[in-house]
Amino acid sequence: MPANRLARENSPYLRQHADNPVDWLPWGDEAFARARAENKPIFLSIGYSTCHWCHVMAHESFEDNATAEIMNRAFVNIKVDREERPDVDRVYMTFVQATTGGGGWPMSVWLTPELQPFVGGTYFPPEDRYGQPGFRKVLRHIAAAWENDSEKISAQGATIIAALREATAKTAAPGEVAAGAIDEAYQHFARTFDAHEGGFGGAPKFPRPSVFNFLTRAYSRSPDSDSGKHALEMVLGTLRKMSAGGIYDHIGGGFHRYAVDAFWHVPHFEKMLYDQAQLAHAYLDAFQITHASEFADTARDILLYVQRELTSPGGGFFSAEDADSTPAEGGAPLEGAFYVWTKTEIDASLGDDAEIFSSHFNVGAEGNIRAGSDPHGELTGKNVLFVRGSIADTAARFQRSENEVAQMLARAREKLHALRLQRPRPHLDDKVITAWNGLMISAFARAAAILEDESFQSSATRAADFIRENLYNEKTRTLSRSFREKAGGAGFADDYIFLIQGLLDLHETSFDLRFLTWATDLQEKLDQQFLDDAHGGYFTTDGRDPSVLLRMKEENDSAEPAASSIAALNLARLGALRNDETLSARARKTVAGFATQLAHFPSALPQMLVAVDFFGAGAQQIVLAGGRDDPRSHALLQEVRRHFLPHAIIIVGDDATKKLLGEMNPALREMVPIDGQPAAYVCRNFTCRAPVTTPAQLRAALAS
């Protein structure tokens, strides 16, 4: 069977459907014109390449000739990769959630030829089951309804989109953020915290790194108070449970998307770049606060996984690895097949080490994935590796030294990693998304500074250079959304905002001024294209694509933080670096634009509350004056990096920096070495303490 139009697309998700008998078209004028010319409704299917239930619906329905015959006869069929077109996804997800009370992927929506939705849902089985109607039945019903009364349905679609447009256009005027918003959000997380297993709420459990970011700031505000201590306990307890659980890949590093149970034991096995980036940040923060090596080790393993498996030859970071793969013994792809083990495999591979390894990682002859904890019934009886207890506990059980057990476990992990690499790998989504690369650049940059690893700085720098070369137009100063063989599509607000954050963090690691200059240029372009100057905050899109019927803002910090939440902190940091009150005021107005949401449900925007906390504390500038290559300067810088300083802006006051920033920050020119020694100036809003010249003096200044 010849390939359909999706064979010409770059998206891995769209190409997965190129051989379907469905006459798929990509989102665009060709499809819209056909729907209007033939007066047919549009069937819109939105998903992404590592989506398990997208694969299921594809195998059950889109690869089925009988189903395809109905689709091709009665509809114009469009496929959209939600990661390439989050703007399209957001419009129709809003409709599906408003009309069904839920949402997810694959998303299935029927539109009029004018792109107005009138029926929506998510996964549909091929026949009636799970309490849902079969997909073919739905197709026939909608086709008959359109044939009988297309004008009425079109009018209904117009009414729906008008109502959605009115609802999304109701933007409250900027207001004051309620004084109790931070405490109310803390109370929400304290109420929903699972004190036994970590995380918030019951199964399934999703890591939500913006919550960790908020809680570590809540701790920093009052570290000796009961609430501050509990905020930190919630973060550390959850991070420890996650890194011990099956949601963490104990063999290859990195985290899976979420756990299907309340114990973090059985994951949904896909791995997303944005999770790795944000969780690396969380573990680095935990290490700075506690200086416990376990958190540094986990952060390092995440980043080594990304370097090894998710880095392109050119330095950009790939998007994701699928949950599904072909079992080693053959057959249809199964979720988790690459990651699970039988006791027989463990025994054969590890020999004398198998007993201790199996005890430590809960490997059993009957498997540790029980019926009911396996959502698809495919892995029952297999083992996913997770830990209860510590290496000390295992050492005590087997009367061995902790060092001996640690070395044995490390040796066993290496053996199993080599064995696992012989299995068929999960599908790799090898497109490079600008926004997610920005998050990952930030993580690598911070890790390079905190863990003193030059390879991490190299990874951050190479990725930034890749984006500049392949996804940035120097002439127009605009970004593209993604790259796979070539750049594709205009960038969205989060592409600019997340990359600006990454560049600011990379500047604070390398002190290379080209990253700061680029971040400043991107901020200016972002404000031109996406800023809601009247109400504060940033729209997702620039509003110039007529096929995107709603111009919206993201109002939740969910799996990824809302663009405006990160933008507020970026603006505050740039304002503090440049002593630019215009940028600082824009940061405050960005937060003020979400005052209504923060008043009603502050826990929906924990990352925005990080910016609120930053404003409340005031920016702390730490200026290091002296030769950048002087070992004494390095010692001062490393002392700074030992501390968790969420309100700090680090500036190296060399001649180049003073030339770039000195006109706006005259105080920088006065910050010079003391008696020939590099000096550190600790300031709050450029009101500075006396300079210090030794790490011990700097430690005391930071502590006070």
Side-chain angles (χ1 to χ4, degrees):
M1 178 176 295
N4 58 46
R5 275 279 283 103
L6 300 186
R8 305 178 202 172
E9 298 297 307
N10 281 331
S11 160
Y13 175 63
L14 299 188
R15 286 190 180 182
Q16 285 174 346
H17 295 269
D19 294 324
N20 293 169
V22 178
D23 184 18
W24 291 115
L25 293 171
W27 182 267
D29 290 339
E30 179 185 352
F32 310 152
R34 182 187 295 184
R36 290 192 295 268
E38 299 177 8
N39 191 32
K40 286 182 178 179
I42 293 168
F43 171 65
L44 173 62
S45 177
I46 302 179
Y48 56 102
S49 76
T50 59
C51 162
H52 174 79
W53 284 102
C54 299
H55 302 330
V56 172
M57 191 167 178
H59 297 321
E60 293 176 339
S61 294
F62 304 148
E63 296 172 6
D64 177 69
N65 288 319
T67 303
E69 190 279 327
I70 302 171
M71 295 174 69
N72 295 338
R73 171 172 44 81
F75 303 95
V76 172
N77 302 288
I78 298 178
K79 264 284 176 193
V80 166
D81 183 339
R82 69 171 293 263
E83 295 170 354
E84 284 191 333
R85 293 301 304 259
D87 53 340
V88 175
D89 176 70
R90 179 78 195 282
V91 169
Y92 296 107
M93 182 63 76
T94 300
F95 164 73
V96 170
Q97 290 174 331
T99 54
T100 70
W105 300 277
M107 183 159 53
S108 305
V109 192
W110 285 264
L111 319 178
T112 71
E114 303 306 320
L115 309 182
Q116 297 154 338
F118 60 92
V119 174
T122 53
Y123 164 80
F124 287 92
E127 307 293 344
D128 294 359
R129 64 170 183 254
Y130 311 131
Q132 293 178 282
F135 186 56
R136 286 191 293 272
K137 178 190 289 186
V138 173
L139 290 170
R140 292 190 185 100
H141 178 78
I142 293 174
W146 181 265
E147 185 174 348
N148 291 332
D149 204 345
S150 61
E151 290 186 5
K152 181 178 178 181
I153 292 174
S154 292
Q156 173 190 338
T159 300
I160 289 170
I161 206 69
L164 291 175
R165 184 175 287 119
E166 181 181 359
T168 56
K170 285 182 178 177
T171 304
E176 290 292 325
V177 176
I182 288 178
D183 184 61
E184 186 177 339
Y186 161 76
Q187 294 296 340
H188 169 83
F189 295 124
R191 286 193 302 271
T192 57
F193 178 61
D194 181 344
H196 295 287
E197 303 298 336
F200 303 88
K205 277 189 175 169
F206 290 80
R208 192 178 167 205
S210 57
V211 175
F212 304 145
N213 297 341
F214 166 73
L215 290 173
T216 52
R217 273 67 179 178
Y219 158 76
S220 181
R221 286 165 65 91
S222 54
D224 296 323
S225 69
D226 289 343
S227 62
K229 292 175 182 176
H230 188 226
L232 183 60
E233 288 170 5
M234 287 190 277
V235 174
L236 301 182
T238 300
L239 293 179
R240 286 187 171 112
K241 287 289 186 178
M242 285 172 53
S243 61
I247 192 175
Y248 180 64
D249 181 358
H250 293 274
I251 300 301
F255 280 88
H256 300 294
R257 177 75 275 271
Y258 63 89
V260 302
D261 57 77
F263 309 101
W264 307 104
H265 290 175
V266 181
H268 174 50
F269 288 90
E270 69 179 323
K271 288 181 174 179
M272 309 300 296
L273 183 68
Y274 58 75
D275 282 326
Q276 314 313 318
Q278 294 179 89
L279 288 171
H281 272 290
Y283 282 92
L284 289 169
D285 286 348
F287 173 63
Q288 280 190 310
I289 292 169
T290 66
H291 302 291
S293 61
E294 60 180 306
F295 299 115
D297 291 344
T298 302
R300 187 177 289 107
D301 277 356
I302 293 170
L303 299 172
L304 291 174
Y305 158 71
V306 173
Q307 284 183 328
R308 187 176 62 249
E309 308 294 354
L310 294 182
T311 302
S312 74
F317 302 119
F318 296 139
S319 295
E321 286 194 294
D322 207 337
D324 297 12
S325 60
T326 303
E329 62 273 15
L334 298 176
E335 181 177 357
F338 184 71
Y339 298 100
V340 297
W341 303 88
T342 64
K343 182 68 162 59
T344 301
E345 288 176 306
I346 298 291
D347 290 345
S349 303
L350 301 185
D352 293 340
D353 293 338
E355 185 180 8
I356 292 178
F357 182 91
S358 295
S359 175
H360 188 73
F361 286 105
N362 288 277
V363 175
E366 303 301 320
N368 58 29
I369 303 177
R370 308 299 184 189
S373 65
D374 174 11
H376 311 303
E378 298 168 338
L379 300 177
T380 301
K382 299 290 183 69
N383 291 280
V384 63
L385 304 183
F386 61 86
V387 177
R388 287 199 191 97
S390 64
I391 288 178
D393 296 329
T394 302
R397 276 198 301 275
F398 289 90
Q399 297 184 329
R400 306 283 186 92
S401 71
E402 291 183 35
N403 185 56
E404 184 181 4
V405 169
Q407 290 183 357
M408 186 281 298
L409 293 175
R411 184 169 65 242
R413 289 173 65 193
E414 289 182 8
K415 288 181 180 178
L416 293 180
H417 187 252
L419 177 62
R420 198 174 76 176
L421 290 177
Q422 299 174 27
R423 299 174 175 177
R425 287 195 65 88
H427 159 73
L428 172 69
D429 187 326
D430 60 353
K431 67 178 180 293
V432 175
I433 295 176
T434 301
W436 299 359
N437 272 247
L439 293 173
M440 202 71 240
I441 288 168
S442 182
F444 270 112
R446 289 195 64 229
I450 295 167
L451 303 180
E452 297 188 72
D453 190 318
E454 290 187 4
S455 79
F456 293 161
Q457 182 169 324
S458 175
S459 289
T461 301
R462 289 183 69 224
D465 290 343
F466 179 92
I467 292 173
R468 184 138 205 169
E469 181 177 345
N470 296 283
L471 287 150
Y472 183 63
N473 185 315
E474 297 278 356
K475 184 176 181 180
T476 62
R477 297 190 300 167
T478 54
L479 290 167
S480 295
R481 170 65 174 178
S482 62
F483 181 92
R484 188 177 186 270
E485 300 173 3
K486 62 181 181 180
F492 301 103
D494 63 340
D495 294 302
Y496 288 81
I497 290 165
F498 294 175
L499 180 57
I500 291 167
Q501 175 185 255
L503 294 173
L504 292 176
D505 286 329
L506 186 49
H507 169 255
E508 281 203 2
T509 296
S510 66
F511 302 105
D512 187 331
L513 292 174
R514 66 191 173 110
F515 298 125
L516 177 57
T517 301
W518 190 19
T520 303
D521 289 344
L522 287 172
Q523 184 65 49
E524 183 178 329
K525 197 66 181 182
L526 170 75
D527 292 340
Q528 290 173 5
Q529 293 190 116
F530 300 97
L531 178 65
D532 181 355
D533 197 36
H535 302 99
Y538 291 85
F539 294 108
T540 300
T541 67
D542 61 14
R544 286 184 274 184
D545 185 344
S547 72
V548 181
L549 302 183
L550 305 175
R551 194 179 188 203
M552 309 173 73
K553 298 176 189 173
E554 183 58 62
E555 297 180 346
N556 289 281
D557 295 317
S558 51
E560 300 170 57
S564 293
S565 295
I566 299 295
L569 198 55
N570 287 346
L571 286 163
R573 293 172 70 186
L574 280 167
L577 270 166
R578 296 164 55 86
N579 195 27
D580 187 335
E581 179 52 33
T582 299
L583 293 175
S584 299
R586 190 168 297 148
R588 291 189 291 270
K589 187 172 180 179
T590 296
V591 171
F594 292 83
T596 299
Q597 293 92 320
L598 290 171
H600 293 152
F601 194 19
S603 59
L605 284 164
Q607 188 66 42
M608 185 69 76
L609 291 173
V610 170
V612 173
D613 171 70
F614 189 93
F615 302 146
Q620 180 185 43
Q621 294 95 357
I622 301 171
V623 181
L624 301 176
R628 188 180 302 186
D629 298 326
D630 190 318
R632 295 170 297 178
S633 296
H634 183 74
L636 292 172
L637 183 59
Q638 287 310 111
E639 181 59 41
V640 173
R641 289 168 170 171
R642 287 184 63 253
H643 299 269
F644 179 64
L645 302 169
H647 313 116
I649 305 294
I650 305 172
I651 304 171
V652 168
D654 58 9
D655 291 341
T657 302
K658 289 178 179 179
K659 183 177 180 181
L660 179 67
L661 299 178
E663 186 175 336
M664 302 188 77
N665 276 339
L668 277 179
R669 296 172 180 163
E670 308 303 321
M671 297 180 186
V672 295
I674 304 299
D675 297 329
Q677 293 191 72
Y681 294 77
V682 179
C683 314
R684 181 76 67 180
N685 297 322
F686 286 99
T687 299
C688 303
R689 294 174 174 271
V692 296
T693 57
T694 70
Q697 292 170 336
L698 179 55
R699 189 178 312 126
L702 293 173
S704 63

